[in-house]
Amino acid sequence: MAELAIRETAGQVQCLVKGELTIYQAASVREQLAALVNEHPNAELDLAGVTEFDSAGVQLLLVLKQKARQLGGEWALVNHAQAVTEVLETLNLAAQLGDPLLLTDSGNGGQP
């Protein structure tokens, strides 16, 4: 199951994703993320806690970034978990998303 946590400090909104962003779980957070984009077109999406990731997760990220841009903002993807990086590199989408691929310290999805 995917879970979201929202942090807002000094006007900067950061959304942390924890769990799977797969075909089985992406839909469970899609509506929440879409509402956040509408409310905060400029934000960061922290992907360090993503444990599994597939094309449904890719589609979700592409839609979120597109929606933010339509609203005149930008959702930056940060702290990519290893699972996310592997899929984005395999699909050669890193440049399309426009964010540097940065791994967490452990590189294992934020797990100790």
Side-chain angles (χ1 to χ4, degrees):
M1 178 170 185
E3 297 176 10
L4 302 178
I6 311 301
R7 278 191 254 168
E8 190 166 351
T9 54
Q12 177 64 40
V13 174
Q14 186 176 49
C15 179
L16 296 94
V17 181
K18 186 173 183 177
E20 300 176 20
L21 282 182
T22 64
I23 192 167
Y24 303 109
Q25 301 297 327
S28 70
V29 294
R30 185 181 62 217
E31 295 301 319
Q32 286 179 277
L33 287 170
L36 281 170
V37 170
N38 284 327
E39 188 176 342
H40 305 284
N42 289 298
E44 287 184 345
L45 186 61
D46 188 325
L47 300 168
V50 176
T51 56
E52 291 188 43
F53 190 75
D54 67 8
S55 60
V58 170
Q59 183 180 18
L60 179 60
L61 296 183
L62 289 170
V63 168
L64 292 173
K65 289 187 75 76
Q66 181 181 29
K67 181 68 175 172
R69 288 179 183 145
Q70 288 173 345
L71 296 171
E74 181 67 35
W75 267 48
L77 307 178
V78 299
N79 297 327
H80 302 74
Q82 184 70 35
V84 175
T85 302
E86 288 174 1
V87 172
L88 295 181
E89 287 180 344
T90 298
L91 298 175
N92 198 22
L93 286 173
Q96 169 103 13
L97 291 170
D99 299 297
L101 292 178
L102 301 174
L103 293 173
T104 59
D105 288 343
S106 62
N108 64 358
Q111 302 298 314

